[in-house]
Amino acid sequence: MTSTPDTIVLVHGFWVTPRSWEHWITHYEQKGFRVLAPGYPGFEVEVEVEALNADPDIITALTVPAIIEHLEAVIRPLPRPPIIMGHSAGGAFTQILLDHGLGASAVVLNSAPTEGVRAVPFSQVKSTLPVLRSPANRHKAIGLTLDEWKYAFTNTFSDEESQALYERYHIPANGGILWGSVLANFQPGHQDTWVDYHNENRAPLLFVSGSEDHIMPPAVQRSNVKHYKSNTVTEHVQYDGYAHLLPAQKGWEEIADFALDWALRHAR
């Protein structure tokens, strides 16, 4: 027996906080859903973006297992399996949560890859160079300049929009996790972003790509989809003209509605 999900869990990515979901939270709440947008461990600080920019030590201490444990602690007590949606690194975390048996269905937007996905387009290398240019950054929280933010996140936005969103959303990212995701494909054994691509019990999963995304181009998501070998529903759709910060780009409402409709139709 199944019941329709009444809760949506939104998982943010790197270089931003749950604030980046602000429009989607309101949009889905107005449709009658309970919406949860948990931050990473330690992100429960007042004036989150401003506080984390002022003191990024919390970011430096993050690990993928700690993030997943924190998200699971939010999801497991819910009376019904929720719809889970993740953006960027949050997309990879969403895939891990599904592999762990959570969620009724899931949608990932411009998702970072899970272990084994080797597609690395040039624009992705350029976007992540601020972190990957030096191994020393594995022990630091690395922010983006406004120009780096515009290239990686908002390349289809106006300069004014890009700067406003940079000031409202941007925080440093954990260099160690980013370096770990790169090295995962070259180290023996299962690493932090491993999932079982043959898991028949995983909930249905939709990948949404923005055609103009520099940091996680559609080629990354297409490769990620092909890795899944189970019979569980795994689909991909691309929206033309959208950059990495898709949840804040003009026209996001259409994508939010499509994502919700897909997730409800495929929920189990």
Side-chain angles (χ1 to χ4, degrees), residues 164-192:
L165 291 168
Y166 178 77
E167 293 172 356
R168 180 154 181 78
Y169 293 160
H170 170 265
I171 63 168
N174 181 290
I177 295 177
L178 287 164
W179 265 97
S181 67
V182 172
L183 297 174
N185 291 331
F186 305 98
Q187 295 177 322
H190 297 158
Q191 306 302 311
D192 289 344

Side-chain angles (χ1 to χ4, degrees), residues 120-224:
V120 187
F122 171 77
S123 66
Q124 185 182 50
V125 175
K126 182 176 178 180
S127 296
T128 55
L129 193 60
V131 174
L132 301 181
R133 64 164 52 102
S134 171
N137 289 338
R138 295 176 68 176
H139 308 288
K140 299 177 182 177
I142 306 297
L144 302 175
T145 66
L146 177 57
D147 285 344
E148 290 167 344
W149 165 269
K150 183 167 179 61
Y151 181 83
F153 277 75
T154 56
N155 49 295
T156 61
F157 293 61
S158 71
D159 289 343
E160 292 76 17
E161 290 174 316
S162 184
Q163 180 167 351
L165 291 168
Y166 178 77
E167 293 172 356
R168 180 154 181 78
Y169 293 160
H170 170 265
I171 63 168
N174 181 290
I177 295 177
L178 287 164
W179 265 97
S181 67
V182 172
L183 297 174
N185 291 331
F186 305 98
Q187 295 177 322
H190 297 158
Q191 306 302 311
D192 289 344
T193 57
W194 181 85
V195 298
D196 179 4
Y197 292 119
H198 297 269
N199 184 354
E200 296 286 352
N201 296 316
R202 171 183 60 77
L205 173 61
L206 173 67
F207 286 78
V208 176
S209 298
S211 68
E212 306 308 306
D213 187 353
H214 280 167
I215 192 168
M216 295 296 169
V220 176
Q221 285 88 58
R222 288 195 296 266
S223 179
N224 206 155

Side-chain angles (χ1 to χ4, degrees), residues 110 206-213 216-222 235-242 246 254-255 258:
N110 291 333
L206 173 67
F207 286 78
V208 176
S209 298
S211 68
E212 306 308 306
D213 187 353
M216 295 296 169
V220 176
Q221 285 88 58
R222 288 195 296 266
E235 296 181 357
H236 175 255
V237 64
Q238 178 174 305
Y239 280 87
D240 291 339
Y242 281 83
L246 180 152
E254 176 188 351
I255 301 174
F258 176 84

